[in-house]
Amino acid sequence: QVQLVESGGGLVQAGGSLRLSCAASGSILSINSMGWYRQAPGKQRELVAASVSGGGTNYADFVKGRFAISRDNTKNTVFLQMNSLKPEDTAVYYCNARIKTPQLLWLTYWGQGTQVTVSS
């Protein structure tokens, strides 16, 4: 069993900052990628940022220059520093991880989601 537990969401005014955290725990042999997606009401879930093994990162165009993803591999944790937040960043943010299990299977896991609300 693998769990992803997110924290750090909340309500912030436009221009403010929030830092999301996501910790993976359970039966983990290794983690390839960890990242963040978001889903606003009535919209599809979309990639925000991802971090892959070796240090590579990938950002959606709408967050480049404002958000930064980082990982602490010793703690199987990924962070998302969100600066210069805009009302359109309001969404439920989900942690995502590609994990190798003891059964040698690569599986994708999701967190429960954390609400981010940006007021104008």
Side-chain angles (χ1 to χ4, degrees):
Q1 286 285 64
V2 173
Q3 284 189 320
L4 301 183
V5 179
E6 300 137 336
S7 61
L11 173 64
V12 65
Q13 288 188 331
S17 298
L18 284 174
R19 188 177 189 237
L20 305 183
S21 300
C22 170
S25 63
S27 302
I28 299 170
L29 284 189
S30 63
I31 299 178
N32 181 8
S33 64
M34 297 188 80
W36 294 92
Y37 287 69
R38 72 185 188 186
Q39 188 167 19
K43 296 187 177 181
Q44 289 188 332
R45 191 173 297 189
E46 58 186 356
L47 173 69
V48 175
S51 172
V52 299
S53 299
T57 58
N58 183 32
Y59 292 94
D61 287 342
F62 53 77
V63 301
K64 284 181 179 177
R66 299 189 299 126
F67 292 8
I69 190 169
S70 59
R71 280 169 67 172
D72 182 344
N73 292 323
T74 65
K75 298 180 179 178
N76 291 336
T77 299
V78 64
F79 305 95
L80 185 68
Q81 179 65 43
M82 304 186 294
N83 299 324
S84 302
L85 282 161
K86 304 175 181 180
E88 51 264 43
D89 293 320
T90 295
V92 178
Y93 283 70
Y94 295 92
C95 177
N96 166 283
R98 186 75 172 164
I99 292 173
K100 191 173 186 178
T101 69
Q103 294 76 30
L104 305 182
L105 298 174
W106 283 102
L107 299 176
T108 298
Y109 293 89
W110 292 91
Q112 79 284 0
T114 185
Q115 177 70 45
V116 171
T117 303
V118 184
S119 63
S120 57

